[in-house]
Amino acid sequence: MITGLLIRQMEAGDVPDIHESLDRNGIPKPMAYIARCWEENKTGKRVTLAAFVNGGFAGWLHLLAKSYYPDFAEKGIPEINNFDVIPPMRRRGIGSALMDAAEKIAFETYGIVGIGVGLYASYGSAQRIYARRGYIPDGRGITYNNEVVEPGSTVRVDDELVLYMTKNPG
């Protein structure tokens, strides 16, 4: 574990710091989105876990109580979503610590967790990490904009082309 690492649920005062840190590190997110994440934490729609190293923001991920992916939503499978570790903090175990914390919450509350991963090269490290952590494809194939891609169809290869996977405890 990295020295000085703290993982906790997002707090109201984190909103501007997270926005500035993500933006400064080439992961721009609109301030309105980050503020909405905080609001959804207050209502229980999501749990946003934030990682800090020696007091500085290092990354975050979200556990959505109700996934935007219809199959997960119908089955009550929460989804790990929007997982970012800022570049200077990568490859130090911060992402694994965030995943451990999110999985613990999901398993205790729901008994399962889901995640989606993009299918082009930029997602290669995430694909490998999720496989090593025991995530398996949900068996529905790939999706585009959360809709299952039918055989013979043509889709754009971008961030909306996703393979959804699940993990059970143990």
Side-chain angles (χ1 to χ4, degrees), residues 48-105:
T48 301
L49 297 176
F52 299 87
V53 175
N54 299 321
F57 177 77
W60 68 344
L61 64 66
H62 309 266
L63 182 66
L64 302 178
K66 184 174 183 181
S67 174
Y68 300 120
Y69 175 46
D71 193 58
F72 284 1
E74 290 168 14
K75 294 176 180 173
I77 300 172
E79 180 189 340
I80 292 174
N81 177 273
N82 194 17
F83 179 16
D84 297 301
V85 175
I86 62 171
M89 293 287 135
R90 292 180 183 163
R91 305 191 64 80
R92 296 183 178 187
I94 295 166
S96 289
L98 282 164
M99 291 285 291
D100 289 345
E103 289 172 357
K104 182 177 188 301
I105 293 166

Side-chain angles (χ1 to χ4, degrees), residues 1 4-5 8 16 28 46-47 52-53 68 72 86 91 99 102 107 109 111 121 129-130 138 140 157 164 168:
M1 188 61 67
L5 176 63
R8 63 166 170 75
R46 80 173 60 216
V47 173
F52 299 87
V53 175
Y68 300 120
F72 284 1
I86 62 171
R91 305 191 64 80
M99 291 285 291
F107 295 153
T109 307
I129 288 167
Y130 303 155
D138 72 347
R140 295 186 44 94
V157 178
Y164 283 95
N168 291 296

Side-chain angles (χ1 to χ4, degrees), residues 76-165:
I77 300 172
E79 180 189 340
I80 292 174
N81 177 273
N82 194 17
F83 179 16
D84 297 301
V85 175
I86 62 171
M89 293 287 135
R90 292 180 183 163
R91 305 191 64 80
R92 296 183 178 187
I94 295 166
S96 289
L98 282 164
M99 291 285 291
D100 289 345
E103 289 172 357
K104 182 177 188 301
I105 293 166
F107 295 153
E108 288 173 356
T109 307
Y110 303 94
I112 191 170
V113 67
I115 197 164
V117 66
L119 295 178
Y120 59 91
S122 293
Y123 288 97
S125 62
Q127 294 165 0
R128 289 188 302 277
I129 288 167
Y130 303 155
R132 281 194 304 268
R133 293 186 67 87
Y135 285 84
I136 59 169
D138 72 347
R140 295 186 44 94
I142 60 173
T143 66
Y144 192 82
N145 283 330
N146 290 320
E147 298 291 327
V148 174
V149 175
E150 296 298 326
S153 61
T154 301
V155 294
R156 183 178 181 87
V157 178
D158 60 18
D159 291 342
E160 300 305 318
L161 187 62
V162 173
L163 177 66
Y164 283 95
M165 301 180 287

